[in-house]
Amino acid sequence: MSQNLKVISPGYAYGITFKVSDYTKYDIIAKDKNVELARFTEALKEASISLDGQDNPYFLIQKLILTDPLLKDGVNKLILRENLTAEAALNKTIKKYEDQILNSNSTYLQERVYDLKDMSQRLINILVDKKYTFPNKPFILVCDELLPSILLEHVNNIQGIISKKAGYMSHGAILARTLEIPFVTSSLEIPSNIPLIIDTRLNKIFLNPTKEQINNIKKLKKQEMSVDIIPHEGMLLLANIYGNEEIRKVKKYGFDGIGLYRTEFVFMHNNRPLTYNEQLNIYTEAVKTLGEKTFCFRTFDIGDDKQIPYLQAHKKGFLNYINNKEMFEDQIKAFINANLYGKMKIMFPMIETKEEFNYLKSWVLNIKKELNNDKPIKIGMMLETKMALEHIYDFTESDFFSIGTNDLSMQLYHLDREKVKKIPSKYIIDLQKKLKDVVNFCNKTGKELSMCGELAALPEATKLFLEIGIKNFSVSPSAFKDLNETISKYLKNINN
Ligand code: PEP
Ligand code: MG
């Protein structure tokens, strides 16, 4: 029988299944409207209390939705006007929000539907008094749709996830990849309480596996974890991260530091701007956790496919800082005050001209002066626009460059992010040619150069970039092993 598997997060997992099903049956027509109004108020309170003490930003956004008066008003109106039960009124209200979001052109917003469903499921479970008792030991989660809150609450026990459907960029999917938990979708009907293996290498699920299969998967899991880091003097193997929760992996794998912290994701968890203090806490914790290793924060990179619910940003780039002055200044202040070891780097994305770069750099330096902060800090830029690449010699003020091959491939070859993974060789060769000037410029001026787009993790491409003298690469933690191997092969070859 076809398993119809789609891999959302790769890996191997073995465990006993635990199945949760969404959306429970409930009455539609209210017997007593006042009872329904009171039930809904109580459910809101209970849901909100259940999130107390959870400091993950994901739960903060759920709490904000729960306490939003618009939600309560919307549901109450439906109870009164259409004589609905609290569950039915909630479902109808959420459906209306979902339709609005799905009609937007933003993939980011569309994927947020899962967050909304997660919150509404939490409320419905309270209303129908359906409470799952999750196993207190490792298990494989089986569900219709992954609710990120379940993943976060049981992260230490969830070995793998199988759901009927999932968006690749949904919050749950991103989280599963971040936490390196194997996650597949399948149309198979899988019961609770059976032993099961997920093996994304074979693109298969094994129900009731044999002893041999279990041992095999355990062995593969072990191999997956062990990396012999090759000596790589003069080179840096760096990590791209989205949030503080990834730093533990960065340390575990033995990365030399963080080459790209995509800070816009820290903002996306909320429906209001983070305050200076909230940001200071997040960045300080990050710097402290990593210690004295190199750490590069990128200022929030919003627009196009990356939208923040409470901000209007049409295109990615410089103007977003001018249009969101206060947010930029709060972020810069928080970075500067979190620079505990004087090792911090700050970089700006999507820079096109030297005027843009110089303007932002002076802005940062003025803030630093106002704060009386004398810790060293390097200020650089992403090299990810065609215009900046063509005028690389203009950027004499930038302390360093980080090549963003995702946006660059889009601008140079019209390849979107998904297609970059299967980039034709002719484009890699062309990019290699174009980047020679950048390497020369950096060598002459002593500026640091690294690469942080997806191509840094594609062995065929990394090899060509190593050949022209690019020595520092920043990749997602899950690509560490491949990068380490590619560099090891390259070094062996040139030494023979
Ligand atoms: C890039 O464009 O290559 C890059 C690393 O930035 P992001 O993927 O966050 O746009
Ligand atoms: Mg980019």
Side-chain angles (χ1 to χ4, degrees), residues 260 262 298 306 316 382 384 404-407 417 452-453:
L260 166 65
R262 291 179 161 106
R298 177 174 74 185
K306 273 190 264 184
K316 292 209 275 192
M382 300 267 307
E384 55 179 348
T405 57
N406 303 339
D407 278 293
R417 278 160 198 273
C452 64

Side-chain angles (χ1 to χ4, degrees), residues 227 229 237 253-255 475-485:
V227 182
I229 302 170
L237 275 63
Y253 289 156
F255 277 99
V475 298
S476 63
S478 57
F480 181 77
K481 213 173 164 180
D482 283 347
L483 177 65
N484 184 58
E485 214 172 281

Side-chain angles (χ1 to χ4, degrees), residues 145-163:
E145 275 180 37
L146 174 67
L147 302 181
S149 59
I150 293 186
L151 176 53
L152 285 168
E153 276 167 43
H154 303 280
V155 63
N156 291 332
N157 281 335
I158 294 179
Q159 306 295 299
I161 305 157
I162 305 170
S163 82

Side-chain angles (χ1 to χ4, degrees), residues 47 134 191 218 323 413:
F134 282 87
K218 284 186 177 163
N323 294 339
Y413 314 119

